[in-house]
């Protein structure tokens, strides 16, 4: 099983939260925007429980992917707690009620392939943003955490891509749903993430940082002028490789979707 290879690789190579010296946090280098980013990341990463629950419900007939989902979930919980630990080190707290509100599982996607596609976009997006934010952060412990998380998310994206390709080989009729998912997440001038789309209206999140807060801060303060286009182009290129089609623009995504539906 592919999940066995992933598990053994993570066991050999993955960093540990206990290796991080949070007493080394340089409080003199902590800026207000760092606190905002960390609190937003805690909320985004806390969604892992809902996601794993949703995966296990939706992929009840796929042991291999379900096992990967559990391994993936462990790393995402680690991300949640690493940002929490950094905030604890500087005396900042996240409202537990807001975290608890994220618990409800996701409903199944349009198709299982669409669910996998959504998570590919999620991982590629957060990988890019964590890496770029790390380059703008002066506080050394947070810088390290962001780089660690960015590398993890790149690995997660790789595995979701693997499982999406395998799923489409068995269920090519789900290709249209993958293209629809791509278009929904890359068709306008916003950074879209499943947590923001499906969880942002929770009343418990009112007056609290969310993952969208971090994305807005990123676009306003860190991102280059064409960075969103760069990120969306990267995502379309990955999806082009998954379905073996030219998806390098929104127009080409629409044409590909029309061709798949008509076939």
């Amino acid at each position: 099983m592919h999940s066995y290879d992933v598990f053994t690789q993570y066991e050999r190579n993955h960093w540990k939260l206990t290796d991080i010296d949070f007493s080394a946090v340089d409080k003199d280098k902590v800026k207000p925007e760092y606190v905002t980013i960390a609190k937003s990341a805690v909320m985004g990463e806390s969604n892992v429980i809902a996601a794993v629950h949703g995966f296990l419900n939706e992929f009840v007939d796929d042991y291999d992917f379900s096992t990967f989902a559990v391994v993936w979930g462990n790393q995402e919980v680690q991300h949640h707690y690493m940002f929490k630990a950094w905030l604890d080190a500087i005396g900042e707290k996240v409202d537990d009620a807001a975290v608890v509100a994220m618990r409800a599982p996701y409903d199944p996607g349009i198709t299982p392939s669409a669910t996998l596609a959504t998570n590919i976009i999620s991982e590629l997006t957060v990988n890019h943003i964590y890496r770029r934010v790390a380059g703008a952060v002066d506080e050394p412990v947070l810088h390290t955490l962001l780089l660690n998380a960015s590398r993890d998310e790149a690995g997660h994206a790789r595995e979701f891509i693997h499982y999406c390709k395998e799923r489409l080989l068995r269920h090519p009729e789900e290709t249209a749903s993958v293209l629809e998912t791509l278009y929904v997440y890359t068709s306008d001038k916003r950074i879209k993430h499943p947590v923001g789309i499906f969880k942002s209206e929770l009343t418990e999140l009112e007056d609290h940082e969310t993952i969208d807060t971090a994305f807005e801060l990123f676009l306003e303060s860190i991102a280059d002028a064409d960075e969103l286009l760069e990120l969306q182009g990267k995502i379309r290129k990955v999806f082009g490789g998954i379905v073996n089609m030219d998806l390098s623009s929104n127009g080409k995504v629409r044409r590909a979707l029309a061709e798949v539906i008509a076939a």
Side-chain angles (χ1 to χ4, degrees):
M1 291 189 182
H2 184 69
S3 57
Y4 173 76
D5 295 332
V6 175
F7 176 78
T8 53
Q9 178 185 357
Y10 285 176
E11 283 286 288
R12 292 192 190 101
N13 301 321
H14 191 60
W15 63 280
K16 294 181 175 61
L17 186 59
T18 51
D19 294 334
I20 304 297
D21 181 8
F22 287 96
S23 68
V25 172
D26 188 341
K27 296 181 181 180
D28 291 336
K29 292 185 177 179
V30 173
K31 300 177 182 178
E33 55 266 36
Y34 299 177
V35 178
T36 298
I37 288 167
K39 287 185 175 181
S40 300
V42 166
M43 295 306 301
E45 300 288 359
S46 72
N47 189 65
V48 57
I49 305 302
V52 171
H53 192 162
F55 286 145
L56 297 182
N57 283 341
E58 188 168 1
F59 291 85
V60 68
D61 60 344
D62 190 336
Y63 184 91
D64 187 25
F65 176 74
S66 297
T67 305
F68 165 72
V70 173
V71 176
W72 167 84
N74 180 69
Q75 288 200 348
E76 298 292 12
V77 168
Q78 184 182 34
H79 295 172
H80 169 72
Y81 283 143
M82 76 180 189
F83 287 116
K84 181 182 184 301
W86 185 84
L87 288 166
D88 287 345
I90 62 171
E92 293 282 347
K93 302 294 181 184
V94 172
D95 184 358
D96 285 345
V99 172
V100 170
M102 307 293 280
R103 172 61 184 87
Y106 283 113
D107 293 330
I110 299 170
T111 68
S113 292
T115 296
L116 295 170
T118 299
N119 282 273
I120 292 167
I121 294 169
S122 170
E123 303 291 350
L124 291 173
T125 299
V126 180
N127 157 256
H128 181 93
I129 292 175
Y130 280 164
R131 177 173 50 81
R132 288 283 287 111
V133 172
V137 164
D138 296 326
E139 199 292 303
V141 176
L142 183 59
H143 172 83
T144 297
L145 295 177
L146 287 163
L147 286 180
N148 286 350
S150 176
R151 295 185 190 106
D152 290 348
E153 307 295 11
H156 298 164
R158 181 178 62 247
E159 305 310 336
F160 279 111
I161 291 167
H162 166 85
Y163 283 108
C164 190
K165 287 180 176 178
E166 291 295 306
R167 175 80 190 182
L168 288 176
L169 286 175
R170 301 192 304 272
H171 298 277
E173 72 278 4
E174 295 181 1
T175 301
S177 69
V178 171
L179 295 173
E180 289 171 351
T181 300
L182 173 64
Y183 187 75
V184 165
Y185 280 89
T186 61
S187 59
D188 60 26
K189 295 181 180 180
R190 290 192 300 131
I191 298 177
K192 294 182 181 177
H193 189 280
V195 178
I197 289 178
F198 294 106
K199 302 279 186 173
S200 61
E201 298 303 317
L202 292 170
T203 57
E204 293 87 350
L205 302 185
E206 293 178 1
D207 302 319
H208 196 287
E209 293 86 354
T210 69
I211 193 167
D212 288 334
T213 310
F215 291 162
E216 291 166 6
L217 180 61
F218 171 74
L219 289 176
E220 292 172 1
S221 306
I222 299 173
D224 296 331
D226 295 328
E227 190 130 16
L228 179 59
L229 295 177
E230 176 189 340
L231 173 59
Q232 291 177 339
K234 181 190 303 182
I235 292 170
R236 291 192 200 98
K237 183 176 181 179
V238 167
F239 274 72
I242 292 171
V243 299
N244 196 27
M245 303 176 80
D246 182 359
L247 305 176
S248 55
S249 69
N250 283 327
K252 290 179 179 178
V253 174
R254 290 195 299 270
R255 283 194 291 275
L257 179 57
E259 290 172 7
V260 169
I261 292 173

